């Protein structure tokens, strides 16, 4: 009934994901492959959390 007042639980995570991917891209452009791989891994973990939350919410 009051679903319009519920916050999107993935909104904050999606924002973090976008920032991580942006930072990873900048690191890659600067030739810092170690930082790029670390940021990419962290972005992948955030994406897994988003997928998990979305799957639990859909069920």
């Amino acid at each position: 009934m009051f679903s319009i007042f519920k916050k999107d639980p993935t909104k904050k995570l999606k924002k973090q994901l976008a920032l991580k991917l942006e930072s990873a891209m900048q690191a890659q452009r600067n030739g810092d492959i170690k930082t790029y791989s670390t940021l990419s891994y962290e972005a992948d973990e955030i994406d897994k959390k988003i997928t998990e939350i979305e799957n639990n919410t859909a069920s």
Side-chain angles (χ1 to χ4, degrees), residues 2-13:
F2 293 102
S3 63
I4 60 171
F5 297 114
K6 289 184 181 178
K7 290 186 177 183
D8 183 14
T10 61
K11 185 176 181 179
K12 185 176 179 182
L13 289 173

Side-chain angles (χ1 to χ4, degrees), residues 21-51:
L21 290 173
E22 178 73 24
S23 297
M25 180 190 66
Q26 292 300 325
Q28 184 181 28
R29 285 184 176 176
N30 291 332
D32 191 357
I33 302 303
K34 185 175 182 180
T35 303
Y36 166 73
S37 63
T38 302
L39 292 170
S40 294
Y41 176 78
E42 291 173 3
D44 187 47
E45 292 299 313
I46 292 171
D47 188 43
K48 287 178 185 177
K49 288 179 188 176
I50 291 171
T51 304

